[in-house]
Amino acid sequence: MAKILAAFEEARSVKGKPTVIIMDTVKGKGVSFMENEAGWHGRAPKPDEGLKGPQGARRRHGVAERLLKKGGEMAEKISLEYGAKIPKEKRPYWWNSQERMKVEMRATRMGFGDALEKAGEDPRVVAFGADISDSICISQFYKPRHPERKARWISVGIAEQNMTTMAAGLAKEGKIPVIGSYGVFATGRNWTSSVRRSATGT
């Protein structure tokens, strides 16, 4: 941490030109079942998994239990506070609350994955992944049932700004590119990238 802070201070002192800090990091460093496993990039550990890590020993001192209890109490308080502000209806219109409104409850991202898998039948469709591909189901474009589509799958890592510009280029050439990321990355990374280009005149 001291080296990181020193690097920030050094970068802050540079005037009139861009700076970059390159960090050689390891995902999940120090946690045996997480270290160097890219799959942990997009999900949090479950309580029992979290207690297996370096902090797991603290369970003996009751820290984990106290934190979980506090979090549960806070969630209940928020639920009551905001639940009271929701307008009440004479009849329950929420999905699955009535026999005639029964539906299969699935996350939107899963529907996205299903639709993209079907859309991939068109050979013009090209899909991009940005390190959270399984999480948002965009990788369903080619796996597990369509390994032959891997040639139309482009992984860009943590670089949504590159993903967007590459997709624009493919669209110009007649392809149908599909990109996906978390909202804050899809917008924020592109916005900051354009600001940097403007600032440096590139």
Side-chain angles (χ1 to χ4, degrees):
M1 184 53 70
K3 290 181 179 179
I4 292 173
L5 294 175
F8 282 137
E9 285 299 319
E10 183 179 348
R12 190 178 289 119
S13 68
V14 177
K15 306 297 180 186
K17 60 181 179 180
T19 62
V20 62
I21 298 173
I22 299 175
M23 299 184 182
D24 185 12
T25 63
V26 177
K27 288 184 187 294
K29 180 69 175 176
V31 183
S32 60
F33 61 96
M34 287 185 181
E35 191 164 313
N36 270 330
E37 292 292 335
W40 285 100
H41 179 74
R43 78 174 183 92
K46 296 175 182 177
D48 61 323
E49 293 172 327
L51 293 171
K52 292 177 184 176
Q55 308 302 319
R58 295 184 183 177
R59 183 181 177 88
R60 292 191 294 271
H61 304 291
V63 173
E65 285 84 353
R66 288 200 300 274
L67 289 174
L68 290 170
K69 182 174 181 292
K70 184 175 181 180
E73 291 171 349
M74 188 176 295
E76 186 176 355
K77 178 183 176 183
I78 292 171
S79 179
L80 289 171
E81 181 181 343
Y82 287 94
K85 297 179 180 179
I86 298 175
K88 300 296 187 291
E89 301 287 348
K90 292 181 179 179
R91 294 172 59 190
Y93 288 106
W94 187 250
W95 296 111
N96 290 352
S97 61
Q98 297 182 53
E99 281 303 317
R100 66 179 191 161
M101 296 175 68
K102 295 293 183 183
V103 295
E104 180 189 0
M105 302 293 280
R106 297 182 74 221
T108 305
R109 60 191 174 132
M110 294 178 181
F112 169 58
D114 292 343
L116 182 56
E117 180 181 8
K118 184 172 180 58
E121 294 171 4
D122 187 329
R124 295 172 300 166
V125 175
V126 179
F128 287 79
D131 265 18
I132 53 168
S133 306
D134 291 344
S135 178
I136 65 172
C137 299
I138 196 170
S139 56
Q140 200 169 319
F141 171 74
Y142 75 94
K143 68 180 185 183
R145 290 184 286 272
H146 306 285
E148 73 283 358
R149 296 181 186 172
K150 195 71 183 289
R152 291 188 279 138
W153 169 261
I154 302 172
S155 179
V156 299
I158 309 174
E160 279 80 358
Q161 66 277 22
N162 293 344
M163 177 174 69
T164 304
T165 52
M166 290 166 70
L170 286 173
K172 186 176 182 296
E173 294 302 315
K175 301 295 183 182
I176 304 175
V178 179
I179 66 174
S181 184
Y182 297 146
V184 66
F185 296 157
T187 55
R189 289 188 187 278
N190 285 297
W191 174 75
T192 53
S193 177
S194 64
V195 169
R196 288 194 197 101
R197 284 197 297 270
S198 298
T200 58
T202 58

